[in-house]
Amino acid sequence: MKITFRLLKMYKKNSLIFMIGLFLLSGEGLNPFTSQNTIALGSVQSDQLILANASVSMEEKEKITIALQELNQAKNDFNLALQAFTKELQAVANTEKKVSLTPLQNVNVKLDQLMESSQNLKQILEKSSLNSQDQIKNKLQNIDAILNRFSKIIYPFKKGVNSGEVKKVQEYLGFFPRRNINPQFYGIYGQTTQEEIESFNKDNLNKLSVQIKQLTDNINQEFVQIQKNSEGENLQKLAEKLSKLESENNNLKSQVNQLRIQPKNWFWLYLSIVCSISAFLGVMLLIVNQKKSRKAITPTKVYNLTNNDLALIEEEMYEKIAQQFKDQMRLIESRFKALEGTSSFSKNIPHFSPSSEVDQKLRIIATREQGITNLEGNSIPKIINPYDTLVNDYNLSNEELIKNVIEVNPINQEFIASEDNTLPPEIIFKKQQKGQYWIIKVDDFYYLIPKLHILITKLSYQSLQNLFECYSYKPGISTKIQLLKPARVSVISDQEEWEFIQKGIIQFV
């Protein structure tokens, strides 16, 4: 019994090795190779642990690599738009016009996408193991500073070239004192201003390319260093494990030798082995039975309705009422046709006018308030959804829509929509500048839509799938969104937080 208790203590962390050791001890062919089998099992578990750790770092590396590729692509797109922007300004300088009504929109969109890609990479790095690296933080700060400089030159020309915005750009560049130009020429866009802007854009674009390249190199170097450190730590842990198993192996050899010297103890050893196995099987059966009984006794969970459920019920009731309204209007129209002798069975029903004041009022409501101008036709009243105007304004990029939006971002980015009939996990949106989504209040409802000109990437498409039913998406080709139905949210705190309650529908074009 003394030997059995020692074996139980030695292998209490691994029941499989313990059972194998008992089985091998019960045979007559006891030999030193028994402990070597135990070492082999321990080595396999250690290798599996190392592979598990490496897979986590590879997943993190892939996520950062994709974000870096998107940043470089956004920079290249911005470079092309910046060249077109410079040519448009050159045309203004050549014609010597003080005012140009040509809006320079494309470069603004590409700059916004570049800022979005930079912010996305920054958020990913903050959650990764590279968050503590000062060099990477400095490169990200330098990139943000350069993009902010570009915004001082590009954003003023968003709606065209006019003297007021030209003056802001000239004052920011600060070349009037340097070139001894009279301040009375502020606001006039000429060749000198064009040269300064071209020089500014070229210099900062080169700096941006250098910073992105250095950031990429620093990240790759850190991943190489992390891999080396991880391999060194795993080798050290493996050496410690092998040393421990070797010590256990020696102890097991000494115990086997003692058993050979004391043959009288064989009976008690076999008895202890049988008792141990019986006790182990009994405990396992008891645990299984307890789990089955708990599962059978567990009462059904009572679910209380929440504000989200009430909002969904409200949406369903609205659709049902609209359908009932359509059916009633068809019935009323059919009755009017029958009364006026215009239906298919008009020969059997005499033609007469409404016989009461109630019938006359009903006809006035049907013809005027519900928009039925011709009761003789086959037209069906159209039920207008409260979000129809919002959908049209979004698809037409109406500027009035942008004035009323609230910019938000989801707090829990890892939200994954449920594929079964259970309630989806909670997702909260919080008010945030330059948010990826907009919230608009129509009547008493809050609707969620993607922001206009959102950059369609692998990550942004995954986020959109959580909130909208997506159709016609083609990776690398789809660049524009057509809104078919907005998503629904409910307000939690006044104009600060909203809770997602119902998916919308979008189509990629």
Side-chain angles (χ1 to χ4, degrees), residues 23-48:
F23 176 76
L24 293 173
L25 284 174
S26 64
E28 296 181 358
L30 293 173
N31 56 69
F33 293 100
T34 303
S35 58
Q36 295 179 2
N37 294 333
T38 306
I39 294 175
L41 289 172
S43 301
V44 171
Q45 292 179 346
S46 178
D47 292 341
Q48 291 175 349

Side-chain angles (χ1 to χ4, degrees), residues 105-118:
Q105 294 286 349
N106 188 43
V107 71
N108 287 273
V109 174
K110 297 304 180 182
L111 180 58
D112 289 339
Q113 293 176 353
L114 181 56
M115 288 181 172
E116 179 185 345
S117 299
S118 176

Side-chain angles (χ1 to χ4, degrees), residues 414-426:
E414 300 300 327
F415 170 74
I416 300 176
S418 176
E419 296 181 355
D420 54 16
N421 295 326
T422 60
L423 290 175
E426 183 183 63

Side-chain angles (χ1 to χ4, degrees), residues 14-201:
N14 195 323
S15 59
L16 178 60
I17 297 177
F18 173 63
M19 294 298 295
I20 293 174
L22 290 178
F23 176 76
L24 293 173
L25 284 174
S26 64
E28 296 181 358
L30 293 173
N31 56 69
F33 293 100
T34 303
S35 58
Q36 295 179 2
N37 294 333
T38 306
I39 294 175
L41 289 172
S43 301
V44 171
Q45 292 179 346
S46 178
D47 292 341
Q48 291 175 349
L49 178 61
I50 294 174
L51 292 175
N53 292 336
S55 64
V56 174
S57 62
M58 288 298 295
E59 180 180 356
E60 183 180 274
K61 181 178 179 181
E62 181 181 2
K63 198 172 185 180
I64 295 175
T65 302
I66 293 174
L68 278 171
Q69 293 174 352
E70 293 176 354
L71 178 62
N72 275 284
Q73 182 61 42
K75 184 208 68 173
N76 294 334
D77 294 342
F78 172 70
N79 184 21
L80 296 176
L82 189 63
Q83 294 175 8
F85 170 76
T86 304
K87 290 181 180 179
E88 291 183 79
L89 291 179
Q90 182 65 53
V92 176
N94 292 338
T95 55
E96 297 182 353
K97 292 183 179 179
K98 294 183 179 180
V99 177
S100 172
L101 299 179
T102 303
L104 309 177
Q105 294 286 349
N106 188 43
V107 71
N108 287 273
V109 174
K110 297 304 180 182
L111 180 58
D112 289 339
Q113 293 176 353
L114 181 56
M115 288 181 172
E116 179 185 345
S117 299
S118 176
Q119 193 66 24
N120 179 45
L121 175 61
K122 185 177 181 180
Q123 292 176 355
I124 293 175
L125 290 174
E126 287 177 351
K127 297 177 182 179
S128 69
S129 58
L130 305 181
N131 184 35
S132 60
Q133 301 301 322
D134 294 334
Q135 288 183 345
I136 295 177
K137 289 183 179 179
N138 291 336
K139 299 304 177 186
L140 291 173
Q141 292 174 357
N142 293 341
I143 292 174
D144 290 341
I146 294 173
L147 296 180
N148 183 57
R149 292 177 203 160
F150 274 118
S151 67
K152 300 294 184 181
I153 301 298
I154 294 174
Y155 285 160
F157 296 131
K158 186 173 185 179
K159 295 184 179 180
V161 181
N162 59 67
S163 58
E165 301 301 331
V166 170
K167 182 179 179 181
K168 290 181 182 179
V169 175
Q170 291 170 338
E171 289 176 346
Y172 175 74
L173 293 174
F175 62 90
F176 269 55
R178 175 164 42 84
R179 292 199 176 199
N180 296 323
I181 300 176
N182 194 324
Q184 68 178 359
F185 294 105
Y186 271 125
I188 299 176
Y189 192 88
Q191 193 62 39
T192 303
T193 304
Q194 176 70 15
E195 292 174 359
E196 290 289 335
I197 290 180
E198 288 182 3
S199 176
F200 175 87
N201 290 342

Side-chain angles (χ1 to χ4, degrees), residues 312-444:
L312 293 175
I313 294 173
E314 180 185 6
E315 181 82 12
E316 293 177 359
M317 291 298 296
Y318 175 84
E319 294 178 356
K320 290 182 179 179
I321 292 173
Q323 184 61 40
Q324 291 179 0
F325 174 78
K326 290 181 181 179
D327 296 340
Q328 290 297 324
M329 290 309 302
R330 290 193 187 98
L331 178 61
I332 291 173
E333 183 180 1
S334 175
R335 293 180 63 184
F336 278 146
K337 287 181 179 179
L339 292 174
E340 293 177 356
T342 60
S343 64
S344 60
F345 47 87
S346 59
K347 296 180 180 179
N348 299 327
I349 300 177
H351 178 76
F352 58 90
S353 301
S355 59
S356 66
E357 183 179 355
V358 175
D359 291 334
Q360 293 175 1
K361 290 182 179 180
L362 182 60
R363 184 175 182 181
I364 291 173
I365 292 173
T367 57
R368 294 183 181 178
E369 294 187 4
Q370 303 300 335
I372 302 178
T373 57
N374 184 9
L375 293 177
E376 303 268 335
N378 295 323
S379 62
I380 299 175
K382 180 181 180 182
I383 305 303
I384 300 177
N385 293 313
Y387 52 78
D388 282 349
T389 302
L390 169 61
V391 171
N392 291 334
D393 290 344
Y394 181 89
N395 292 330
L396 295 175
S397 301
N398 194 337
E399 292 185 359
E400 293 297 326
L401 174 69
I402 303 176
K403 296 179 181 179
N404 301 322
V405 302
I406 303 173
E407 297 179 282
V408 296
N409 262 339
I411 297 177
N412 43 344
Q413 293 284 353
E414 300 300 327
F415 170 74
I416 300 176
S418 176
E419 296 181 355
D420 54 16
N421 295 326
T422 60
L423 290 175
E426 183 183 63
I427 179 170
I428 304 298
F429 287 86
K430 191 171 184 180
K431 185 176 181 182
Q432 182 177 341
Q433 291 184 350
K434 295 186 181 297
Q436 298 299 303
Y437 298 93
W438 292 347
I439 288 179
I440 297 181
K441 184 178 181 182
V442 180
D443 296 335
D444 294 329

